[in-house]
Structures are given as C-alpha cells and as structure tokens.
Amino acid sequence: MTEVTPLSVVVLAAGAGKRMRSPLPKVLQPLAGRPLLSHVLQCADALRPDAIHVVYGHGGEAVRARFADVASLRWVEQAERLGTGHAVAQAIPEIADHHRVLVLCGDVPLLQPDTLEALLSGSAQGVGVLTVELPDATGYGRIVRDAAGRVTAIVEERDADEATRALREINTGVIAAPAARLRGWLSRLRNDNAQGEYYLTDIIAMAVAEGMPVVGIRAGDADEVAGINTRQQLADAETALRRRAARMLMAQGAILADPARIDVRGEVTVGQDVFLDANVTLEGRVELGDGVRVGPNVVLRDVTLGAGTEVHPFSLLEGVSCGTHCQLGPYARVRPGSQLADRVKIGNFVEVKNSRLADGAKANHLSYVGDAEVGRDVNIGAGTITCNYDGANKHRTVIGDGAFIGSGVELVAPVEIGAGATIGAGSTIAKDAPAGQLTLARTRQTTLRHWQRPTKKRPDPGP
Ligand code: UD1
Ligand code: CA
C-alpha cells in the first residue's frame, strides 16, 4: 500500500477585479447563478483535500461573509497585495510539512477535478504546473522548456525577452508542490522584477536548481483554465458552461432543440429521450424522468417530473414534484410545495400553490388552487378560485375524490367538498358541501318583463 499524501488547497482570491467595473468583488461575480469562487471551491472539494485555505484581500470581508456557512474553509487575509508568491506565503504557515499544496485561483471557475487529479498524479514526486497552449498568449507567464522538453522556468510577460514572449505555452496559475520545499522557496522569493511583486512562478526555477522534477501538464481545453478578468470573459465563461451542461444532458439521453439555447444553473438529471425545446431554463435540483417533454420558454426550478410528463410553452414551475404523464401549461404557474400525482392536468393560466392534486385531477383553465387538497379525478372548472387567505391567515380547501367543481366557483377556505359532489357554476361556497350531491350558492335568475333600458336624455335646448 502506498501512503496517500494529504492535500492542502490554497485558493488565491485577493484580487480586486478592477476591470469588472463592479462594486462586487471579482470572485463573487455570478456565473451560472453562483459566485465564481463557489465553482472553484466545488472543484477543490471533489479532490477531498485535508483543508482549503482561501486567501482574501483587504476589504474582502464580503467574500468571507458570503461563504460563512462553509465551516470547513480556512480564511487567510493578505493585507497587502504583493504578488501571488506573497499570497501563498500567507497560507503556508498553516500547512504541515508532509502535505502537498495545490494552488488554485478564485477567478478560474471552469476547472474540472479530473484535470487536477491528472496534475497531482503526474507530479507526485515534485512540482506540477498546469499549462495550456494558446493562439494568443498575451498577458500570461510563459512556460520555458529545455531541449528535452523539461520545464525550466516560468517567465512573466513583462519580464520576458522577445524569444520567450513568442512561446505559446502558458502558466494557468495552477501549481502543485510539496509543502516543506514550497515553504523554503517562498521564504527566498524576491520582488526585483518588472512588477515589483513576489511571484509564485519563481519557485519553478528554484525547484529546477535544486534538482527537483518539475512537470508541466497540459490542459486539454483552454476554456477550462480561462481566467475571468472582464465582463466579456465572464459572459464567455457562461457560454462555455452552457455548452458543457448541454453536452452532459445529451450524454445522459436528452434531446435538445438547440444546445446553444438552454440554461442550466443547477444539478440536473434526465432520463432517456427527454426533449427540451429552445430557451428552457433549469435551476436548482431538477430531475426529469424518461420521455419528459419540455416546451419552449419554460423555467423549471427545483422540480421533479415523472416519466412521460409534458410541460407546454411559457410555464414556470418551482418547488414542484410531479408524477408521470401529467400535462402542464401552456402558461402554467406551479409554485413551491405543490405535489402533483400521476396524469394531473394543469392548463393555461392556472396557478397552483402549496397544494396536492391526486391522480387524474384537472384544472384546465384560468384558476387559482392554493393550500388545497384535491382528490382523484376531480375536475376544477374554468375560473375557479380557492379563497385561501382571509387577510391574516391561510386556510385549506379539501376536495374529495371525483368531485366536479363548475366554472367560476369561489371556494372560501377553510372548506371541504365531499367526494363525488357537484358544485354549480358561479357558486360562492363558504360552508362544507356534502358528498355526491349538487350544491349551488347563487341567486336565482330572474327576468323583469316590463323593464326598459334607459335612454340618453336630450340636451336641454335652453330658454
Ligand atoms: C498569474 C501568473 C501567470 C499566469 C496567470 C494566469 C504569477 C506571478 N503570474 O499572472 O504566470 O499566466 O496568473 O492567469 O503568478 N492574487 C492574490 N494576491 C496577490 C496577487 C494575486 O490573491 O497579491 C490572486 C489574484 O486574485 C488572482 C491570482 O492570484 O486570482 C492571479 O493573480 P493575477 O494578478 O491575475 O496574476 P497575473 O499577473 O495574471
Ligand atoms: Ca490574471
């Protein structure tokens, strides 16, 4: 058995992100609905490290506050921003000698755990640098290799001569090194360079000078290691993430009308032959069973849909669990706490909130069903409203199996409709209605025989 070396991750997040032109610190800028830093932390977490240290900058309390609920993070303040080497030096006193240190950047959000695993396993005996080849390497530190292809140094652009600048393999900023050696190198960093900073990248030449192997691992995908400095890059990352999410959905068996027009901002699992039309937005936890069809311009947020269920265009569902073969929308709004069993129909302009609808229940048109318990095969007619709120408290409406509620009915809760009851159209039902019978609550229709429609008065011709 080989001993597994414990891992400490250091995430550099002290940058102000001036180029974002935003009061929000850069690592808190949202990508797919959550901060950049949260993507980096999620990736780091997948490596099961011993500890994650986040280096945050002066004035970066908002960053710390945003992640206050993640108790496992260790926060290290870098009071002055003196360079990436200085930033890592703030965290290194917290890390034991026998650990490996993996340095990540808080503004490189698309990294994947597999890539980091490859870097760690490929450089287990020494220092590892994640690199990538770019068509345009402007602004980055260049990877210098010797004739045998071994990495010998990283040279920052501003310190590079013309030949070095011509190199296209760059440092992504992700570096792995053994803690004890790193501690020594960091203590010997100097800032006599073009930017007057303590460069983390200078440890590479130090390691080489000490005969320690330095391995440059190339990332396959330039998107994955792209750093975010500007709004444009943030938008590009969003696009890249969308493409990645679309690929994952298709790999699971989804059919996408247009892979470029789907937004995934959460954890989505799909069964086979799920069809997602254009401009579908999936947020939070979404589970779609086999054969589910989702029409265009639908938003699903924390939703489970059983096999064969269809959601028609322009519907918004949040916090909903739905059984099989249901029909929802178009223009359905189903709000949190709603549980729909199998074969339920929620039609156009119907709002459902915090209600349970049993198998085969239907509300096809223009209704509000709130805080209700709706039995099997109940039919709720057009324009029916549960009056669940008395201005202070919410009350429940209970409708028994097989009841038929006519159109335009007001059910004033708390109220119970018995199984198999029929409620006449236009009724205002404020008392319980018995099972199996017709209940009506409306004034009898009358016709006034000799009534005449008023006519407009002639204007007074005056004296
Ligand atoms: C750094 C690398 C460069 C690499 C590039 C990749 C160095 C010296 N250079 O350059 O080789 O190609 O990243 O994007 O490491 N940070 C701190 N404290 C500091 C300075 C930086 O926390 O004092 C953080 C930043 O917030 C950022 C990361 O470190 O997340 C990188 O810093 P940045 O200033 O962007 O470095 P570059 O000059 O771009
Ligand atoms: Ca940068």
Side-chain angles (χ1 to χ4, degrees):
M1 279 272 298
T2 49
E3 189 107 337
V4 183
T5 312
L7 177 68
S8 284
V9 174
V10 176
V11 181
L12 305 187
K18 284 202 189 78
R19 278 180 285 166
M20 282 286 170
R21 301 187 177 277
S22 165
L24 197 64
K26 179 162 77 175
V27 294
L28 294 187
Q29 295 290 336
L31 174 67
R34 58 198 173 96
L36 288 180
L37 182 57
S38 125
H39 292 263
V40 178
L41 296 177
Q42 186 182 14
C43 176
D45 220 39
L47 303 172
R48 308 242 148 267
D50 248 55
I52 300 179
H53 304 263
V54 183
V55 181
Y56 69 105
H58 180 66
E61 276 71 29
V63 178
R64 212 179 150 157
R66 178 63 180 71
F67 290 89
D69 56 330
V70 190
S72 59
L73 294 177
R74 312 240 190 116
W75 294 91
V76 188
E77 187 180 352
Q78 184 190 21
E80 270 186 294
R81 211 170 164 277
L82 301 179
T84 50
H86 180 259
V88 177
Q90 308 310 298
I92 200 80
E94 314 260 322
I95 300 172
D97 269 343
H98 64 292
H99 281 217
R100 290 198 84 204
V101 177
L102 175 66
V103 179
L104 303 178
C105 294
D107 58 356
V108 180
L110 301 183
L111 259 183
Q112 292 288 283
D114 288 357
T115 305
L116 295 178
E117 303 269 15
L119 176 72
L120 290 170
S121 60
S123 63
Q125 306 309 315
V127 174
V129 184
L130 186 65
T131 75
V132 72
E133 300 223 20
L134 296 180
D136 176 5
T138 308
Y140 291 99
R142 307 297 203 280
I143 304 293
V144 182
R145 292 181 185 257
D146 64 14
R150 286 178 299 229
V151 175
T152 56
I154 299 176
V155 181
E156 292 305 300
E157 174 159 285
R158 286 166 66 179
D159 302 290
D161 58 26
E162 205 150 327
T164 309
R165 279 183 194 216
L167 297 171
R168 297 229 307 263
E169 188 186 4
I170 62 106
N171 168 31
T172 64
V174 177
I175 291 180
R181 303 292 287 273
L182 180 61
R183 193 187 316 283
W185 298 326
L186 290 173
S187 70
R188 283 161 33 214
L189 286 181
R190 294 153 46 118
N191 64 351
D192 51 352
N193 51 49
Q195 301 184 69
E197 287 185 1
Y198 296 94
Y199 292 164
L200 175 63
T201 45
D202 284 351
I203 68 160
I204 303 302
M206 292 178 177
V208 171
E210 290 180 12
M212 171 157 264
V214 176
V215 185
I217 303 275
R218 286 183 174 85
D221 175 4
D223 279 349
E224 202 189 315
V225 293
I228 309 296
N229 296 306
T230 63
R231 297 249 182 223
Q232 177 64 54
Q233 289 166 334
L234 188 60
D236 292 344
E238 194 83 51
T239 304
L241 213 55
R242 196 178 297 137
R243 272 202 300 266
R244 184 192 282 173
R247 275 199 300 270
M248 275 162 56
L249 288 177
M250 291 188 283
Q252 286 181 49
I255 306 156
L256 306 183
D258 181 354
R261 283 190 293 162
I262 181 147
D263 276 277
V264 179
R265 306 185 190 133
E267 314 274 313
V268 180
T269 58
V270 296
Q272 293 181 1
D273 278 339
V274 166
F275 176 75
L276 302 173
D277 213 322
N279 298 326
V280 169
T281 302
L282 307 173
E283 291 183 10
R285 276 193 182 280
V286 175
E287 282 176 48
L288 307 178
D290 291 347
V292 162
R293 295 181 68 84
V294 180
N297 303 302
V298 167
V299 178
L300 303 179
R301 185 176 298 138
D302 296 312
V303 165
T304 303
L305 301 180
T309 285
E310 290 190 53
V311 184
H312 299 286
F314 301 103
S315 296
L316 166 59
L317 278 57
E318 41 186 334
V320 179
S321 93
C322 176
T324 63
H325 303 288
C326 293
Q327 295 284 331
L328 310 174
Y331 299 99
R333 172 149 192 237
V334 189
R335 293 168 50 198
S338 297
Q339 290 177 33
L340 315 180
D342 299 337
R343 290 175 290 100
V344 168
K345 284 185 77 175
I346 303 296
N348 24 207
F349 306 106
V350 173
E351 175 178 349
V352 178
K353 186 215 79 175
N354 190 31
S355 294
R356 282 216 301 257
L357 280 78
D359 290 352
K362 296 181 189 62
N364 277 334
H365 331 268
L366 298 158
S367 289
Y368 173 59
V369 180
D371 300 309
E373 192 84 39
V374 180
R376 282 171 164 264
D377 298 316
V378 164
N379 192 324
I380 295 178
T384 285
I385 305 290
T386 53
C387 310
N388 59 330
Y389 186 52
D390 60 14
N393 297 299
K394 305 274 170 65
H395 302 282
R396 289 195 77 74
T397 298
V398 178
I399 305 176
D401 292 348
F404 181 96
I405 315 293
S407 296
V409 169
E410 282 147 11
L411 299 167
V412 184
V415 71
E416 189 167 343
I417 309 299
T422 300
I423 305 297
S427 297
T428 296
I429 302 293
K431 287 185 288 196
D432 292 353
Q437 297 184 40
L438 170 66
T439 301
L440 285 169
R442 62 187 189 213
T443 48
R444 200 170 276 279
Q445 180 165 324
T446 51
T447 302
L448 302 185
R449 279 185 191 288
H450 304 294
W451 180 83
Q452 289 207 322
R453 191 184 290 175
T455 52
K456 229 186 175 80
K457 275 189 187 151
R458 290 241 170 76
D460 190 346

